[in-house]
Amino acid sequence: MKSRLALACIAGGISLLAALPASFMALAQGASSADRTSLKPAASFLSIADAKARSVALFEEAGKVIEHPRCVNCHPATDRPLQRMSMQPHEPPVTRGEGGMGVPGMMCNTCHGAENATVVGQSPTLRSIPGNAAWHLAPIEMAWVGKSLGEICQQLKDPERNGGKDLNEIAEHMAHDGLVGWGWNPGEGREPVPGTQAEFGELIKAWVETGAACPVE
């Protein structure tokens, strides 16, 4: 049943649409293979004596995850999510709706189940449908598309935009939230974000402990 539902949701195919800003395309295509797949451990930044400089360096390393298309796709600047490494508008067309869960008749969970669903007999580039029990878009206040890493950093620190979280709660969210963790388990046929969620969480924790300094915007 799940496979048939997945096929119904993608029956229209996944078309290539307008490209996003060049900065995001460069991020998706320009990094070396090693840069895309690994994270430096938080402890490796201890040699940076200045706490602020170390904090910025830690966040920049965490930025390999934060700015990865797998994450940015769910932080769009419009009401339409993005998909694929090319960060194209979601097909079929869907919109944010209340709570980022979609609109009646086309809720996120219409196609996205509690776990990734393998797709059989389709294009070689479409091998699974993403899934997570909490699948939804990030709030528009946390839109990352078109933002510099420094601007995203400021968003994360701002309780008026981050859902009222303090820095320790942000670190906990990054380290243990299941939907964040999906980025490392995105389903067959998708590139995961770099490193592991544990490594990412340690980078964010160390960033908080060193003053949560942001890169220059």
Side-chain angles (χ1 to χ4, degrees):
M1 181 65 182
K2 181 181 288 185
S3 296
R4 280 183 287 176
L5 177 58
L7 292 174
C9 290
I10 59 169
I14 306 229
S15 59
L16 292 174
L17 300 177
L20 285 166
S23 60
F24 281 91
M25 295 304 296
L27 174 70
Q29 300 172 359
S32 71
S33 177
D35 285 343
R36 290 200 308 266
T37 59
S38 64
L39 289 174
K40 295 177 183 177
S44 68
F45 294 88
L46 291 173
S47 60
I48 303 176
D50 181 78
K52 181 177 180 180
R54 184 162 72 252
S55 191
V56 169
L58 285 159
F59 194 82
E60 288 176 337
E61 186 67 15
K64 292 180 182 179
V65 172
I66 293 168
E67 291 191 311
H68 192 282
R70 197 97 294 138
C71 295
V72 175
N73 283 348
C74 289
H75 288 259
T78 69
D79 285 339
R80 190 172 177 184
L82 308 175
Q83 61 187 178
R84 295 193 173 191
M85 290 295 290
S86 55
M87 299 174 62
Q88 63 200 51
H90 190 289
E91 288 289 347
V94 294
T95 191
R96 181 183 301 277
E98 186 175 352
M101 294 294 295
V103 296
M106 189 57 81
M107 304 295 287
C108 296
N109 60 13
T110 302
C111 294
H112 297 281
E115 57 188 24
N116 299 326
T118 300
V119 173
V120 179
Q122 294 295 303
S123 164
T125 61
L126 182 60
R127 294 157 56 189
S128 64
I129 301 296
N132 183 277
W135 196 267
H136 65 282
L137 280 182
I140 191 65
E141 293 82 4
M142 290 300 292
W144 292 355
V145 171
K147 301 289 180 67
S148 70
L149 186 60
E151 289 172 325
I152 294 172
C153 180
Q154 295 293 348
Q155 280 179 307
L156 287 172
K157 292 169 60 174
D158 184 358
E160 293 189 3
R161 291 183 285 176
N162 71 15
K165 294 180 176 66
D166 63 27
L167 289 174
N168 289 327
E169 289 171 324
I170 289 292
E172 173 67 18
H173 172 74
M174 296 298 202
H176 298 113
D177 181 82
L179 190 53
V180 173
W182 176 88
W184 288 272
N185 180 37
E188 192 173 352
R190 290 182 183 79
E191 176 186 310
V193 294
T196 67
Q197 188 171 16
E199 291 171 333
F200 178 60
E202 286 300 314
L203 287 167
I204 296 295
K205 178 182 177 183
W207 168 68
V208 171
E209 291 174 345
T210 50
C214 290
V216 176
E217 296 181 9

